[in-house]
Amino acid sequence: MSGAAGPGPPVGPGRSPLPCAPRPAAALQLSGGTEPTRPGVAVIDLRFPRGAAADVSAAWGGTVQEIVFKNFYTAFLSVRVQRPGPGGSRRWVTCLRDMCLMPCPHTEQGAQDYFSLHRNQMLCDMDQVTAVRFILRQPSPVWLQFTIEELQIFPTGQKSPQTDLPSWLSQLTPPEQPASLHGELPDPEKVSTEVQQMWVLTEVIRTRQAAARIGRFDVDGCYDVNLLSYT
Amino acid sequence: MKIDVSLHKPEIKLESLKEDIKDFLKTSGWEKKLQNAVYSQLNVFPSPCHPAAPPEHMKEPLAYMRKAQGSWEKRILKSLNSMCTELGVPLAQKRSASEQKELLNKWNEMGTDEPDLSLFRPVYAPKDFLEVLMNLRNPNYENGDQPSFRNHLGLIQVPLKVKDIPELKEDFTELGLNIGQLGIDDSAQVPPEFFENEHVRVGQKVLAEQDSAAAQQYVRQGCPTALRADLWALILNISNQPEDILYYEQLKSNVIQHDLLVDSLIYKDVKLTASNDDYYFVFEDYLYQVLLCFSRDTSVLEHFTYSSATPPKSYIRGKLGMEEYAVFYPPNGVIPFHGFSMYVAPLCFLYHEPSKLYQIFREMYVRFFFRLHSISSHPSGIVSLCLLFETLLQTHLPQLFYHLREIGAQPLRISFKWMVRAFSGYLATDQLLLLWDRILGYNSLEILAVLAAAVFAFRAVNLMEVTSLAAAEAVLADLSTLKVMPLLQIFLFATVT
């Protein structure tokens, strides 16, 4: 299984990953060895195509917001990025060290799960990145292969997808002090907006009730079924 | 839920309406009901997946397990289809008016019916399912032919993570030696002042408060018999409102209207299992009333979002391939297997009103029982339970495990049927209900694997003497005299590790 970015998972509205062509995971080899061994360490290098490849990457300033991938039996992950260093040269910096993907590497826990790495979790700044290197480790000898799949890198400047929250939920007010009525009436505008909010809430709930389950399993009263379908 | 706030009262002021509603919810008990409903949902639904994960990932994260479940389901479909063609019976058809009237008249005594079911056979039995689980392999795992540390010594060869005894001790703390238990500390020799009276008093208080979370914590030490029905209903959040009774009546009318092939399978299963059981044969009529309605209940389809299984699909006669005429068969998507009715039978001791009995069973099914007959990597799924059982036995009774293996009596071959049925029909009823108390209390089926290992540990001396699988089966044939709580306690907390 190569780490190529195949048909990826849906990314959600407003987000598009950077186009990149990761080479398949290359296992570390000891020099001078005659037989191919399984060293338990593999590396995936990502270089971002410059210039004509895509508008997204041409306009991209090299900032990485989030890295999303699907694990395939990798136990520990380290990530290094190549950034410009002092004096104009480019250096490799470790931004994630030995993140545990599989708590128990001999067993299946976490083996095929999806993971997100956010720029806030990284040890260094994810700006002006020109290349990313993923170092995969799988110390357990029981697995035939290990890699990461469906790799997607999201630049900053795009809204991360948010699940649809109803508008009233995002306007939850903190518990207020009870209004003091000594000598003054409460502001009628304030009172009427509060009552309006509550009315909107009841209306929303009332309209939603139509989706209650009816429980019909037949089609227009007919449920004559002959054989089960295999597809 | 309709909340009737009487807004005409002079005490209600516009400014404080929000606070007043919150107070009203608290005093009328609706806040508690909302809390219970939310708690119930948290127990049933898994935590949200990563946003990039597709829906099948929530059903089952491991691709090869999804594939295995798909193949197993295809086998079941083929078996059902071939039974249909052989017998010349359609999967579903509408009953004639006279048939409907007849069924309605004898609704409460369907057990007296003796239809000819000799040609029907169960779609599959637990031992067929065990064969499938034994052949489950991860294609990325090094399953060599040579025995090595990679191969498990038991029947299950997939490397799932299972707990060991120190982790189980932590999880099941309330079963410890210094904590009172019903099933141990309520026996005749122990004066009730020591534990039983106080425990009953606390139980009554929990019921008065109507708190689901507190009830779930409480039943870990066992339910007093008089309070069990109400406590389980509280934990499962079943209140038997008028709309629930109406829903059950609607299901009943669906049964009357349409005749399903699955009905014959249910009849056959009840006749073969529950009717032959000394404890459960009296409930035969209840079992039909629950299981026939269960097959028509489309709300059960919701559990397929978090189950690795997929409901079978079919098309209305003559409309093959047309999506508008695609239906699920049976309507609830669950094809019963041999022994399925034993999931319902013990509940008949607790609930006598058909609509409430039905709802309790349905909730127990979509929370727990569905995991016992589908292939998944979930810690409470049957594959994990089998591996947990084998690992516990191998780690703590290695001599017994080795001996049984050598004589061709792999322990899982004997204990599999106990776990698939959640021990229903194998234990005495009062002991079974004490076991199911803990399933509800811990919201996990792992206790079934622990009990299976504890039973082997209890009869280890006899088992070391046997020389064949048949003899081992004979030693473990009768579990009706066993007391489950002492067995569990000794195995978890009093065995030298």
Side-chain angles (χ1 to χ4, degrees), chain B residues 92-309:
Chain B
Q93 61 185 2
K94 200 157 183 156
R95 280 189 232 265
S96 67
S98 59
E99 280 174 353
Q100 290 189 23
K101 203 156 147 218
E102 200 189 321
L103 185 56
L104 190 55
N105 285 339
K106 62 171 178 33
W107 179 257
N108 288 322
E109 31 173 61
M110 283 186 273
T112 53
D113 221 7
E114 296 282 345
D116 180 19
L117 299 168
S118 50
L119 294 172
F120 289 99
R121 50 180 194 280
V123 183
Y124 66 96
K127 61 174 168 24
D128 305 314
F129 190 45
L130 178 59
E131 293 293 319
V132 174
L133 298 186
M134 276 165 51
N135 292 322
L136 202 52
R137 295 286 184 278
N138 181 343
N140 196 35
Y141 191 81
E142 194 152 343
N143 298 297
D145 291 324
Q146 297 303 319
S148 76
F149 68 89
R150 295 175 177 83
N151 300 81
H152 296 117
L153 289 173
L155 293 177
I156 303 292
Q157 296 293 328
V158 288
L160 296 173
K161 171 91 177 76
V162 290
K163 295 183 177 141
D164 54 10
I165 287 211
E167 285 169 314
L168 290 168
K169 271 193 195 171
E170 246 187 71
D171 278 353
F172 295 117
T173 331
E174 291 86 353
L175 301 184
L177 293 167
N178 53 345
I179 299 182
Q181 302 292 329
L182 287 184
I184 299 174
D185 300 293
D186 56 335
S187 70
Q189 295 92 19
V190 180
E193 302 87 58
F194 280 171
F195 168 70
E196 203 182 342
N197 287 350
E198 179 62 20
H199 191 63
V200 172
R201 208 183 57 80
V202 173
Q204 284 160 343
K205 193 149 182 259
V206 167
L207 277 177
E209 290 292 310
Q210 284 290 295
D211 189 330
S212 275
Q216 191 162 331
Q217 180 67 30
Y218 172 80
V219 304
R220 292 180 180 185
Q221 291 172 265
C223 278
T225 320
L227 307 178
R228 182 175 276 129
D230 291 326
L231 280 166
W232 284 20
L234 181 55
I235 295 173
L236 298 170
N237 207 31
I238 304 286
S239 48
N240 210 25
Q241 300 289 311
E243 52 257 31
D244 301 316
I245 301 178
L246 203 60
Y247 190 76
Y248 176 74
E249 292 296 319
Q250 186 188 326
L251 291 176
K252 181 174 156 184
S253 72
N254 288 341
V255 175
I256 308 274
Q257 275 178 5
H258 295 276
D259 182 21
L260 302 184
L261 176 68
V262 167
D263 294 349
S264 307
L265 297 177
I266 291 173
Y267 270 109
K268 180 123 191 173
D269 185 45
V270 172
K271 293 280 184 208
L272 283 178
T273 55
S275 302
N276 285 333
D277 191 302
D278 291 337
Y279 295 109
Y280 302 124
F281 71 92
V282 290
F283 300 122
E284 194 183 333
D285 298 323
Y286 279 120
L287 296 177
Y288 297 123
Q289 292 176 20
V290 166
L291 287 167
L292 293 180
C293 289
F294 181 65
S295 298
R296 272 83 170 165
D297 193 346
T298 50
S299 69
V300 175
L301 293 173
E302 287 165 14
H303 92 282
F304 286 108
T305 47
Y306 53 86
S307 163
S308 60

Side-chain angles (χ1 to χ4, degrees), chain A residues 9 38 73 107-108 112-114 116 142-145 173 186 195 214-215 217 222-230, chain B residues 14-15 18 50 52 54 57 61 63-64 78 81 91-92 138-140 142 159 250 298 313-314 316-317 328 331:
Chain A
R38 288 197 289 140
Y73 295 94
T107 66
E108 301 261 12
Q112 297 189 23
D113 282 348
Y114 286 82
S116 262
V142 301
W143 308 111
L144 297 175
Q145 291 177 26
T173 49
V195 171
I214 313 169
F217 54 80
C222 174
Y223 193 66
D224 283 348
V225 173
N226 241 351
L227 289 176
L228 294 171
S229 157
Y230 294 129
Chain B
L14 267 181
E15 317 78 50
K18 203 188 270 188
H50 192 275
H57 198 262
Y64 73 92
K78 283 200 173 137
N81 273 349
L91 283 178
N138 181 343
N140 196 35
E142 194 152 343
Q250 186 188 326
T298 50
K313 213 168 97 168
S314 183
I316 301 287
R317 195 201 310 263
F328 290 120

Side-chain angles (χ1 to χ4, degrees), chain B residues 232-462:
Chain B
W232 284 20
L234 181 55
I235 295 173
L236 298 170
N237 207 31
I238 304 286
S239 48
N240 210 25
Q241 300 289 311
E243 52 257 31
D244 301 316
I245 301 178
L246 203 60
Y247 190 76
Y248 176 74
E249 292 296 319
Q250 186 188 326
L251 291 176
K252 181 174 156 184
S253 72
N254 288 341
V255 175
I256 308 274
Q257 275 178 5
H258 295 276
D259 182 21
L260 302 184
L261 176 68
V262 167
D263 294 349
S264 307
L265 297 177
I266 291 173
Y267 270 109
K268 180 123 191 173
D269 185 45
V270 172
K271 293 280 184 208
L272 283 178
T273 55
S275 302
N276 285 333
D277 191 302
D278 291 337
Y279 295 109
Y280 302 124
F281 71 92
V282 290
F283 300 122
E284 194 183 333
D285 298 323
Y286 279 120
L287 296 177
Y288 297 123
Q289 292 176 20
V290 166
L291 287 167
L292 293 180
C293 289
F294 181 65
S295 298
R296 272 83 170 165
D297 193 346
T298 50
S299 69
V300 175
L301 293 173
E302 287 165 14
H303 92 282
F304 286 108
T305 47
Y306 53 86
S307 163
S308 60
T310 312
K313 213 168 97 168
S314 183
Y315 295 91
I316 301 287
R317 195 201 310 263
K319 311 277 187 207
L320 189 64
M322 295 164 69
E323 278 314 308
E324 320 83 78
Y325 292 94
V327 289
F328 290 120
Y329 183 87
N332 72 344
V334 179
I335 296 185
F337 55 90
H338 177 65
F340 194 84
S341 53
M342 296 306 282
Y343 290 143
V344 190
L347 302 172
C348 299
F349 275 102
L350 301 173
Y351 304 98
H352 306 293
E353 208 258 292
S355 135
K356 193 155 186 191
L357 171 63
Y358 174 75
Q359 286 172 69
I360 295 275
F361 165 66
R362 179 182 60 187
E363 191 62 28
M364 293 279 285
Y365 182 82
V366 301
R367 273 198 203 202
F368 303 113
F369 297 144
F370 76 94
R371 299 203 190 275
L372 295 173
H373 64 91
S374 49
I375 304 176
S376 92
S377 60
H378 194 271
S380 272
I382 188 69
V383 187
S384 299
L385 296 183
C386 290
L387 189 59
L388 176 60
F389 162 75
E390 290 187 319
T391 314
L392 285 175
L393 206 60
Q394 193 182 331
T395 315
H396 298 285
L397 293 149
Q399 236 184 340
L400 175 64
F401 192 90
Y402 182 76
H403 169 73
L404 289 172
R405 224 177 138 247
E406 287 294 292
I407 62 171
Q410 277 273 10
L412 186 59
R413 286 198 192 275
I414 305 173
S415 64
F416 186 71
K417 53 187 185 293
W418 303 339
M419 292 192 283
V420 163
R421 280 210 204 157
F423 282 88
S424 173
Y426 297 104
L427 296 172
T429 336
D430 60 325
Q431 296 300 311
L432 182 75
L433 293 173
L434 286 168
L435 179 68
W436 285 17
D437 283 339
R438 274 70 180 189
I439 293 181
L440 281 165
Y442 292 100
N443 201 34
S444 148
L445 292 165
E446 285 160 317
I447 198 127
L448 297 177
V450 180
L451 179 61
V455 170
F456 271 73
F458 185 61
R459 299 224 169 131
V461 173
N462 291 7

Side-chain angles (χ1 to χ4, degrees), chain B residues 9-129:
Chain B
K9 293 204 189 118
E11 305 88 72
I12 309 257
K13 294 179 177 40
L14 267 181
E15 317 78 50
S16 57
L17 189 57
K18 203 188 270 188
E19 297 302 322
D20 282 341
I21 290 196
K22 280 197 215 163
D23 285 334
F24 173 76
L25 285 176
K26 232 178 245 175
T27 49
S28 65
W30 277 105
E31 190 194 31
K32 202 92 236 190
K33 292 196 179 127
L34 280 168
Q35 271 179 350
N36 286 347
V38 170
Y39 188 72
S40 162
Q41 293 294 301
L42 285 175
N43 266 337
V44 171
F45 283 92
S47 27
C49 265
H50 192 275
E56 60 256 21
H57 198 262
M58 171 137 96
K59 287 164 74 78
E60 171 51 53
L62 301 178
Y64 73 92
M65 289 237 176
R66 286 200 294 267
K67 201 158 158 229
Q69 172 69 17
S71 314
W72 169 238
E73 281 171 2
K74 206 160 173 182
R75 257 178 72 177
I76 299 177
L77 297 190
K78 283 200 173 137
S79 170
L80 200 54
N81 273 349
S82 64
M83 197 191 317
C84 259
T85 349
E86 271 173 35
L87 299 175
V89 178
L91 283 178
Q93 61 185 2
K94 200 157 183 156
R95 280 189 232 265
S96 67
S98 59
E99 280 174 353
Q100 290 189 23
K101 203 156 147 218
E102 200 189 321
L103 185 56
L104 190 55
N105 285 339
K106 62 171 178 33
W107 179 257
N108 288 322
E109 31 173 61
M110 283 186 273
T112 53
D113 221 7
E114 296 282 345
D116 180 19
L117 299 168
S118 50
L119 294 172
F120 289 99
R121 50 180 194 280
V123 183
Y124 66 96
K127 61 174 168 24
D128 305 314
F129 190 45

Side-chain angles (χ1 to χ4, degrees), chain A residues 12 18 35 84 89 92 96 105 130 140 157 166 207-208 222:
Chain A
L18 291 169
E35 298 161 13
S89 65
W92 286 99
L96 188 72
T130 41
S140 170
T207 45
R208 283 247 180 97
C222 174

